[in-house]
């Protein structure tokens, strides 16, 4: 594939220092999953608003959950994807459709074509890394 996505450190920095609404796809109350600890970090350390998105729309950390991105009222700044790489393309397409500003694919979540679709649609894209790894900026 000719277009391999490369993360832009300036985009990562801007996303992590700009307060925003983060839809965290795959966020559940399961303490064995990594998503809850990262969502808590985003909320408590970086002052982001967290919106849980999961198939069963469960509320997490006291925040109302939604089954899909289109169900969330208001604008979304970042769609944070804790889903299998084989499923992230659909989430990226949903992010494009709702007018999200950015897509963040977590560590191990890689889909070059979806990243390119998001970039072509004007979204910032971060792939295969975690906010907790990228912050602070060294």
């Amino acid at each position: 594939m000719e277009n391999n996505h490369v993360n832009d450190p300036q985009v990562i920095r801007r996303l992590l220092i700009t307060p925003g609404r983060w839809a965290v796809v795959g966020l559940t109350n399961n303490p064995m999953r990594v998503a809850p600890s990262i969502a808590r970090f985003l909320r408590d350390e970086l002052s982001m608003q967290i919106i849980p998105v999961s198939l069963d729309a469960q509320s997490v950390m006291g925040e109302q959950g939604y089954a899909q991105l289109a169900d969330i009222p208001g604008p979304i700044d970042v769609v944070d994807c804790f889903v299998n790489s084989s499923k992230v393309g659909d989430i990226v397409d949903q992010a494009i459709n709702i007018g999200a500003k950015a897509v963040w694919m977590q560590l191990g979540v890689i889909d070059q074509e979806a990243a390119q679709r998001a970039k072509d649609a004007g979204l910032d894209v971060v792939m295969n890394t975690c906010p907790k790894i990228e912050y602070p900026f060294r």
Side-chain angles (χ1 to χ4, degrees):
M1 176 166 308
E2 73 271 359
N3 285 336
N4 282 337
H5 174 77
V6 176
N7 290 329
D8 181 339
Q10 292 180 327
V11 168
I12 289 172
R13 186 174 197 285
R14 179 171 35 81
L15 293 177
L16 294 180
I17 66 171
T18 305
R21 297 180 81 214
W22 286 54
V24 183
V25 180
L27 179 56
T28 71
N29 287 301
N30 182 346
M32 301 304 289
R33 303 293 307 247
V34 71
S37 67
I38 300 305
R40 189 167 286 107
F41 169 78
L42 290 167
R43 183 190 69 185
D44 296 349
E45 303 295 323
L46 303 185
S47 300
M48 303 301 174
Q49 180 183 352
I50 298 303
I51 303 160
V53 180
S54 63
L55 293 176
D56 58 0
Q58 63 179 281
S59 294
V60 181
M61 298 185 312
E63 300 293 338
Q64 169 67 48
Y66 297 90
Q68 57 186 359
L69 294 175
D71 295 340
I72 301 169
I76 298 299
D77 296 303
V78 180
V79 176
D80 191 3
C81 303
F82 282 94
V83 297
N84 188 289
S85 295
S86 66
K87 298 180 180 176
V88 79
D90 178 55
I91 303 301
V92 170
D93 292 339
Q94 289 181 44
I96 293 166
N97 289 336
I98 65 161
K101 295 177 185 159
V103 172
W104 189 301
M105 293 180 244
Q106 283 292 330
L107 196 62
V109 181
I110 300 167
D111 184 329
Q112 298 291 347
E113 283 124 10
Q116 190 60 51
R117 286 195 307 275
K119 285 190 275 191
D120 290 347
L123 281 71
D124 287 324
V125 177
V126 177
M127 186 164 60
N128 192 28
T129 192
C130 176
K132 208 165 185 177
I133 292 171
E134 298 295 336
Y135 188 90
F137 322 100
R138 298 183 194 274

